[in-house]
Amino acid sequence: MPHTPTSPNTGPKPSGERRPAPDRGRTLLGPALALVHTGQAPTRSALTSALDVTRATAGAISAELEALGLITVDSSPAGGGRGRPSHRLAVDPSGPVVIAAQIHADGLSIALAGLGGRLEEPVHLPLPDATDPVRLLSAVARAGADLARASGRRCLGAALALPNPVTEPDGAALAALHFAWPSGTPVADLFAEQLRKADLGPRARMPLPSTVANDANLAALAEHRHGAGRGSRHLLLVTSGHRGVGGALVIDGRLHTGSAGLAMEVGHLTVDPQGRPCACGNRGCLNSETDPEALFAAADRTPDPRRPLLEQARELARAAAADPRARAAVDHVVDRLGLGLAGLVNILNPDRIVLSGLHRDLLAAAPERLAAVVADRCLLGRSGRMPIVAAEVTHAGLVGAAELAWEPLLHDPQAVAAGTVAGTRGERQK
Ligand SMILES: [Zn+2]
């Protein structure tokens, strides 16, 4: 299925009309749920003004979402004390869940997520010895199904984050070098097939809608809706997790994924023509100049092969405060990261940059230096208006995958939730 996220965070486009027409009420259910889901409508009066509707319409909409088992409406006075107390709105803690999963160089992570970006503690599994796609995807599907069955909650979808580019709309993996998958492996289809075979329990939507996407894209979505990117209009995220560098752009709440899902492959920007070799055959790409291996190379140190590389690179970045060799390595890598960011800023004109993975630690280790390199190379930076901030969301790939899995519900809560809401009374919906 297509996996281009829609935009809950931009909310509705208010028309200025104030008619509580029933069909308008239904079309506003999705935007209303998105506002509660992203924390932008904590009360019914906030919902009323965000949707630009009458109090009566907002009341009807919140009652409908409550009846669908998606939100709770608490009529006890909410804080603030200004004017009449408003009903508090929150996602229903016993509401539906989705399965969020991520395959990365160090293993598999699987978690359930409720609305509101509420991720349950993930299960982490080591990579199986054989990393062929079917083996990996069946392990993910089985682990997700175990969690869904054990939770007893309605399960409405699943999404998987991958560390490689994923085509749209067919969901094929390209350049999945970590696992040596053939280029063009139809991951979306294989994942759906493994979920069909898994025992998801009596309360899952069947067949369970599922989708796959690139992990940096999903991290950007997570930061935009629940983290350091909230409120930004043109959010650029750059990250280095294990090997290489990922980038993503969220414009007005929507991921910019290009014509085939392959936009924002920032890793092959040249930042040093004489630099380290990259898997693409060139030298000095952002990938090979600013990832964990690059930091170790700059420090002339060798990481322990038994420990996750990112963890060790983070320690090395933090050591810059006291260790001159680590300091020099951080400065070397930060200068190249700054060149890459400046190039992206000149092309994309974002209003915020969120740095994640190792880049978050590099920002913490050398914030002024990084800002100065960016400022020196781009007009926007020179004007002093280019905020570069640290990512905030823990397990952002998983939180972003959950966002993707929520898309159908946020698009039409009634169609998706009404089919399963009777399940709250113990019936299985066909
Ligand atoms: Zn390259």
Side-chain angles (χ1 to χ4, degrees):
M1 73 178 274
H3 43 282
T4 303
T6 53
S7 166
N9 214 10
T10 50
K13 302 279 180 284
S15 67
E17 297 170 57
R18 286 176 173 267
R19 281 184 296 116
D23 55 339
R24 181 148 187 254
R26 176 163 180 181
T27 59
L28 287 176
L29 282 177
L33 181 59
L35 287 163
V36 178
H37 168 63
T38 53
Q40 297 177 90
T43 63
R44 212 167 69 184
S45 67
L47 184 68
T48 304
S49 51
L51 292 175
D52 190 26
V53 294
T54 62
R55 287 166 59 93
T57 302
I61 289 169
S62 44
E64 175 67 18
L65 291 174
E66 188 178 35
L68 290 169
L70 301 173
I71 70 167
T72 57
V73 182
D74 179 356
S75 57
S76 57
R82 278 193 311 131
R84 261 193 286 181
S86 181
H87 297 265
R88 266 192 288 253
L89 306 179
V91 299
D92 188 335
S94 59
V97 290
V98 290
I99 296 168
Q102 184 165 13
I103 301 181
H104 46 85
D106 290 326
L108 317 174
S109 301
I110 305 103
L112 293 184
L115 283 164
R118 295 181 182 187
L119 193 75
E120 295 187 359
E121 192 52 38
V123 171
H124 301 286
L125 303 173
L127 282 178
D129 291 335
T131 58
D132 63 277
V134 170
R135 180 80 61 100
L136 272 189
L137 295 167
S138 88
V140 170
R142 273 184 280 118
D146 289 348
L147 294 174
R149 238 180 17 254
S151 82
R153 290 162 72 181
R154 285 179 285 160
C155 182
L156 298 185
L160 172 65
L162 293 173
N164 47 266
V166 179
T167 62
E168 289 179 357
D170 45 334
L174 300 185
L177 305 173
H178 291 306
F179 322 116
W181 292 354
S183 196
T185 296
V187 184
D189 291 346
L190 293 173
F191 186 42
E193 189 184 320
Q194 294 305 319
L195 284 166
R196 275 197 298 276
K197 290 181 184 166
D199 178 8
L200 289 151
R203 300 204 56 208
R205 207 176 163 205
M206 294 297 282
L208 194 70
S210 64
T211 142
V212 298
N214 168 261
D215 54 8
N217 279 345
L218 294 177
L221 210 51
E223 292 294 339
H224 186 263
R225 295 186 185 167
H226 302 290
R230 260 185 298 211
S232 68
R233 286 199 57 205
H234 292 247
L235 173 69
L236 170 65
L237 175 130
V238 177
T239 182
S240 181
H242 298 264
R243 207 156 293 154
V245 171
L249 183 68
V250 179
I251 303 175
D252 287 333
R254 293 182 72 95
L255 269 174
H256 173 70
T257 52
S259 61
L262 305 175
M264 297 301 296
E265 284 296 318
V266 304
H268 301 293
L269 272 176
T270 303
V271 291
D272 179 358
Q274 268 74 52
R276 288 158 41 80
C278 174
C280 73
N282 292 317
R283 280 188 172 273
C285 294
L286 196 60
N287 266 338
S288 52
E289 292 296 318
T290 69
D291 74 348
E293 280 186 357
L295 183 63
F296 273 96
D300 199 17
R301 285 183 192 165
T302 310
D304 179 347
R306 295 161 300 177
R307 293 183 54 214
L309 185 61
L310 175 61
E311 202 176 295
Q312 298 179 72
R314 284 190 154 144
E315 289 164 8
L316 184 52
R318 281 197 293 270
D323 170 349
R325 196 142 77 39
R327 172 89 265 159
V330 163
D331 288 351
H332 176 89
V333 174
V334 159
D335 287 351
R336 276 145 191 80
L337 176 60
L339 287 181
L341 294 180
L344 292 167
V345 169
N346 281 328
I347 294 167
L348 303 170
N349 189 13
D351 61 358
R352 199 175 305 171
I353 299 175
V354 172
L355 296 183
S356 182
L358 176 62
H359 293 171
R360 185 181 190 278
D361 301 85
L362 294 173
L363 171 67
E368 288 89 13
R369 189 179 184 104
L370 183 62
V373 178
V374 174
D376 194 42
R377 296 273 172 164
C378 67
L379 292 171
L380 188 62
R382 234 170 282 161
S383 72
R385 284 184 288 118
M386 191 60 263
I388 305 176
V389 300
E392 287 175 2
V393 177
T394 308
H395 303 304
L398 291 173
V399 172
E403 288 304 309
L404 206 56
W406 286 125
E407 292 293 340
L409 180 73
L410 294 172
H411 180 69
D412 190 345
Q414 204 168 51
V416 174
T420 57
V421 76
T424 54
R425 288 167 224 126
E427 299 166 37
R428 172 140 192 210
Q429 292 299 299
K430 295 276 155 51

